[in-house]
Amino acid sequence: MSHTLGVRQAQKQKTRQALLDAALGLLAEQGLSSLGLREVTRVVGIAPAAFYRHFKDLGELGVALVEEALGSLHVMVRAILAEQDGAEERIDRTVAVVERHVRAYPLHIRFIARERHGGVRAVRQAIADELDRFAEEVAAALKSQPVSEGWRDDDVRMLAELYVDRLVTTAAALLDADEDGAPGAADQVVRTARRQLRLISIGRRHWREEGDDLP
Protein backbone atom coordinates (compact mmCIF):
# COMPACT_ATOMS: atom_id res chain seq x y z
CA MET A 1 0.00 0.00 0.00
CA SER A 2 2.78 2.43 0.94
CA HIS A 3 4.54 1.64 -2.35
CA THR A 4 1.38 2.51 -4.28
CA LEU A 5 1.04 5.79 -2.41
CA GLY A 6 4.68 6.57 -3.13
CA VAL A 7 4.19 5.99 -6.86
CA ARG A 8 1.08 8.18 -6.87
CA GLN A 9 2.88 10.95 -5.01
CA ALA A 10 5.79 10.80 -7.43
CA GLN A 11 3.43 11.00 -10.40
CA LYS A 12 1.58 13.90 -8.83
CA GLN A 13 4.84 15.76 -8.30
CA LYS A 14 5.87 15.03 -11.89
CA THR A 15 2.60 16.45 -13.22
CA ARG A 16 2.90 19.49 -10.97
CA GLN A 17 6.37 20.21 -12.31
CA ALA A 18 5.14 19.69 -15.86
CA LEU A 19 2.47 22.35 -15.26
CA LEU A 20 5.10 24.76 -13.95
CA ASP A 21 7.36 24.12 -16.92
CA ALA A 22 4.52 24.48 -19.41
CA ALA A 23 3.36 27.76 -17.88
CA LEU A 24 6.90 29.11 -17.82
CA GLY A 25 7.33 28.36 -21.52
CA LEU A 26 4.04 30.03 -22.41
CA LEU A 27 4.89 33.06 -20.24
CA ALA A 28 7.95 33.79 -22.37
CA GLU A 29 5.60 35.62 -24.74
CA GLN A 30 2.81 36.89 -22.48
CA GLY A 31 1.94 38.01 -18.97
CA LEU A 32 0.38 35.73 -16.37
CA SER A 33 -2.84 37.76 -16.33
CA SER A 34 -3.47 36.85 -19.99
CA LEU A 35 -2.51 33.17 -19.68
CA GLY A 36 -5.34 30.67 -19.98
CA LEU A 37 -5.57 27.57 -17.80
CA ARG A 38 -6.55 25.49 -20.84
CA GLU A 39 -3.38 26.61 -22.61
CA VAL A 40 -1.29 25.18 -19.81
CA THR A 41 -3.14 21.90 -19.46
CA ARG A 42 -3.14 21.39 -23.24
CA VAL A 43 0.67 21.52 -23.27
CA VAL A 44 0.88 19.01 -20.41
CA GLY A 45 -1.78 16.76 -21.92
CA ILE A 46 -4.20 16.65 -19.00
CA ALA A 47 -7.83 17.68 -18.59
CA PRO A 48 -8.38 21.26 -17.33
CA ALA A 49 -10.12 19.91 -14.22
CA ALA A 50 -6.96 17.99 -13.28
CA PHE A 51 -5.13 21.31 -12.87
CA TYR A 52 -6.94 21.89 -9.57
CA ARG A 53 -5.35 18.84 -8.01
CA HIS A 54 -2.09 20.80 -8.01
CA PHE A 55 -2.97 24.52 -7.81
CA LYS A 56 -6.11 26.36 -6.81
CA ASP A 57 -5.61 28.84 -9.68
CA LEU A 58 -2.96 30.30 -12.00
CA GLY A 59 -2.03 32.84 -9.33
CA GLU A 60 -0.92 30.05 -7.02
CA LEU A 61 1.05 28.48 -9.88
CA GLY A 62 2.69 31.87 -10.42
CA VAL A 63 3.70 32.07 -6.76
CA ALA A 64 5.33 28.64 -7.08
CA LEU A 65 7.26 29.90 -10.10
CA VAL A 66 8.49 32.87 -8.07
CA GLU A 67 9.86 30.54 -5.39
CA GLU A 68 11.47 28.37 -8.05
CA ALA A 69 13.03 31.37 -9.83
CA LEU A 70 14.50 33.22 -6.86
CA GLY A 71 15.21 30.57 -4.26
CA SER A 72 18.58 29.34 -5.53
CA LEU A 73 19.91 32.84 -6.19
CA HIS A 74 19.47 33.76 -2.51
CA VAL A 75 21.76 30.98 -1.38
CA MET A 76 24.50 31.71 -3.90
CA VAL A 77 24.72 35.46 -3.36
CA ARG A 78 24.46 35.14 0.42
CA ALA A 79 27.41 32.74 0.43
CA ILE A 80 29.52 35.21 -1.58
CA LEU A 81 28.67 38.13 0.70
CA ALA A 82 29.60 36.08 3.76
CA GLU A 83 33.17 35.66 2.50
CA GLN A 84 35.81 37.94 3.93
CA ASP A 85 37.64 38.88 0.71
CA GLY A 86 37.88 42.47 -0.50
CA ALA A 87 34.85 44.38 -1.76
CA GLU A 88 35.91 44.28 -5.41
CA GLU A 89 36.37 40.52 -5.38
CA ARG A 90 32.92 40.05 -3.82
CA ILE A 91 31.37 42.35 -6.41
CA ASP A 92 33.00 40.53 -9.31
CA ARG A 93 31.90 37.13 -8.02
CA THR A 94 28.37 38.33 -7.30
CA VAL A 95 27.92 39.74 -10.80
CA ALA A 96 29.35 36.51 -12.25
CA VAL A 97 26.82 34.49 -10.23
CA VAL A 98 23.95 36.62 -11.54
CA GLU A 99 25.25 36.29 -15.10
CA ARG A 100 25.43 32.49 -14.83
CA HIS A 101 21.94 32.37 -13.30
CA VAL A 102 20.49 34.39 -16.19
CA ARG A 103 22.12 32.09 -18.74
CA ALA A 104 20.92 28.98 -16.90
CA TYR A 105 17.35 30.18 -16.22
CA PRO A 106 16.37 32.80 -18.83
CA LEU A 107 12.66 31.99 -18.70
CA HIS A 108 12.59 32.39 -14.91
CA ILE A 109 14.33 35.76 -15.15
CA ARG A 110 11.93 36.97 -17.84
CA PHE A 111 8.99 35.86 -15.70
CA ILE A 112 10.26 37.77 -12.65
CA ALA A 113 11.10 40.89 -14.68
CA ARG A 114 7.63 40.97 -16.25
CA GLU A 115 5.55 39.96 -13.25
CA ARG A 116 7.34 42.14 -10.68
CA HIS A 117 4.98 44.90 -11.78
CA GLY A 118 2.42 42.67 -13.52
CA GLY A 119 -1.29 42.28 -13.17
CA VAL A 120 -1.54 39.37 -10.72
CA ARG A 121 -1.46 40.74 -7.20
CA ALA A 122 -0.53 37.46 -5.47
CA VAL A 123 2.50 37.07 -7.72
CA ARG A 124 3.59 40.70 -7.31
CA GLN A 125 3.39 40.21 -3.55
CA ALA A 126 5.31 36.92 -3.72
CA ILE A 127 8.11 38.60 -5.68
CA ALA A 128 8.18 41.51 -3.22
CA ASP A 129 8.31 39.06 -0.30
CA GLU A 130 11.15 37.06 -1.87
CA LEU A 131 13.16 40.21 -2.58
CA ASP A 132 12.47 41.37 0.97
CA ARG A 133 13.90 38.11 2.31
CA PHE A 134 16.80 38.50 -0.09
CA ALA A 135 17.48 41.98 1.36
CA GLU A 136 17.31 40.59 4.90
CA GLU A 137 19.90 37.94 4.05
CA VAL A 138 22.19 40.46 2.36
CA ALA A 139 21.80 42.87 5.29
CA ALA A 140 22.80 40.13 7.74
CA ALA A 141 25.92 39.41 5.68
CA LEU A 142 26.80 43.11 5.39
CA LYS A 143 26.25 43.67 9.11
CA SER A 144 28.92 41.08 9.92
CA GLN A 145 31.58 42.92 7.89
CA PRO A 146 33.97 45.25 9.77
CA VAL A 147 33.14 48.24 7.56
CA SER A 148 29.58 48.15 8.95
CA GLU A 149 30.71 48.68 12.53
CA GLY A 150 28.66 51.43 14.12
CA TRP A 151 26.01 51.42 11.40
CA ARG A 152 22.36 51.58 12.34
CA ASP A 153 20.27 48.56 11.36
CA ASP A 154 18.01 50.62 9.09
CA ASP A 155 21.03 51.99 7.23
CA VAL A 156 22.41 48.48 6.69
CA ARG A 157 19.01 47.41 5.43
CA MET A 158 18.90 50.38 3.03
CA LEU A 159 22.31 49.39 1.69
CA ALA A 160 21.16 45.79 1.23
CA GLU A 161 18.12 46.96 -0.72
CA LEU A 162 20.39 48.97 -3.02
CA TYR A 163 22.44 45.88 -3.74
CA VAL A 164 19.38 43.72 -4.34
CA ASP A 165 17.79 46.27 -6.66
CA ARG A 166 21.00 46.48 -8.71
CA LEU A 167 21.23 42.69 -8.99
CA VAL A 168 17.63 42.34 -10.15
CA THR A 169 18.04 45.18 -12.64
CA THR A 170 21.29 43.66 -13.89
CA ALA A 171 19.64 40.25 -14.39
CA ALA A 172 16.87 41.79 -16.51
CA ALA A 173 19.38 43.86 -18.50
CA LEU A 174 21.52 40.79 -19.19
CA LEU A 175 18.49 38.92 -20.45
CA ASP A 176 17.59 41.79 -22.78
CA ALA A 177 21.17 41.94 -24.04
CA ASP A 178 21.23 38.21 -24.75
CA GLU A 179 17.92 38.35 -26.60
CA ASP A 180 18.99 41.43 -28.57
CA GLY A 181 22.17 39.68 -29.68
CA ALA A 182 24.15 42.86 -30.28
CA PRO A 183 27.93 42.20 -30.09
CA GLY A 184 29.34 43.17 -26.71
CA ALA A 185 25.95 44.14 -25.22
CA ALA A 186 26.11 41.62 -22.39
CA ASP A 187 29.71 42.54 -21.58
CA GLN A 188 28.65 46.17 -21.33
CA VAL A 189 25.88 45.24 -18.89
CA VAL A 190 28.40 43.35 -16.73
CA ARG A 191 30.85 46.27 -16.76
CA THR A 192 28.10 48.71 -15.83
CA ALA A 193 26.88 46.49 -12.99
CA ARG A 194 30.38 46.21 -11.54
CA ARG A 195 30.87 49.97 -11.70
CA GLN A 196 27.49 50.64 -10.08
CA LEU A 197 28.16 48.19 -7.26
CA ARG A 198 31.63 49.63 -6.70
CA LEU A 199 30.12 53.11 -6.52
CA ILE A 200 27.71 51.87 -3.86
CA SER A 201 30.63 50.25 -2.04
CA ILE A 202 32.62 53.52 -2.09
CA GLY A 203 29.62 55.42 -0.80
CA ARG A 204 29.29 52.84 1.96
CA ARG A 205 32.78 53.59 3.23
CA HIS A 206 32.03 57.31 3.41
CA TRP A 207 28.45 57.17 4.65
CA ARG A 208 27.37 59.56 7.38
CA GLU A 209 24.11 59.38 9.24
CA GLU A 210 21.48 61.83 8.09
CA GLY A 211 22.19 65.27 9.55
CA ASP A 212 25.90 64.71 10.22
CA ASP A 213 28.09 67.38 8.60
CA LEU A 214 25.59 68.04 5.85
CA PRO A 215 25.52 71.48 4.21
Side-chain angles (χ1 to χ4, degrees), residues 100-160:
R100 287 196 300 272
H101 200 74
V102 170
R103 301 278 158 71
Y105 306 103
L107 293 179
H108 287 92
I109 301 302
R110 173 59 66 209
F111 169 72
I112 294 297
R114 179 182 285 124
E115 299 301 329
R116 188 180 183 187
H117 305 292
V120 180
R121 182 176 181 179
V123 174
R124 289 200 313 271
Q125 187 61 53
I127 294 172
D129 289 345
E130 284 290 329
L131 295 180
D132 185 67
R133 281 191 286 273
F134 196 175
E136 287 181 6
E137 294 167 357
V138 173
L142 295 173
K143 186 69 173 178
S144 69
Q145 296 169 1
V147 70
S148 295
E149 185 176 353
W151 276 53
R152 298 186 319 202
D153 289 345
D154 58 340
D155 285 345
V156 175
R157 173 57 188 244
M158 178 178 65
L159 177 65

Side-chain angles (χ1 to χ4, degrees), residues 29-90:
E29 303 297 335
Q30 62 184 307
L32 184 61
S33 60
S34 64
L35 182 66
L37 185 151
R38 289 181 180 274
E39 291 180 79
V40 180
T41 55
R42 187 181 303 119
V43 172
V44 178
I46 63 174
F51 176 90
Y52 298 104
R53 299 173 189 164
H54 307 277
F55 304 100
K56 69 178 182 180
D57 53 29
L58 284 171
E60 186 175 84
L61 180 147
V63 170
L65 281 176
V66 171
E67 295 169 353
E68 188 175 85
L70 293 176
S72 61
L73 191 60
H74 287 217
V75 177
M76 291 186 290
V77 175
R78 184 177 58 198
I80 290 170
L81 287 168
E83 296 177 7
Q84 295 302 312
D85 292 334
E88 290 203 5
E89 290 81 0
R90 281 197 302 272

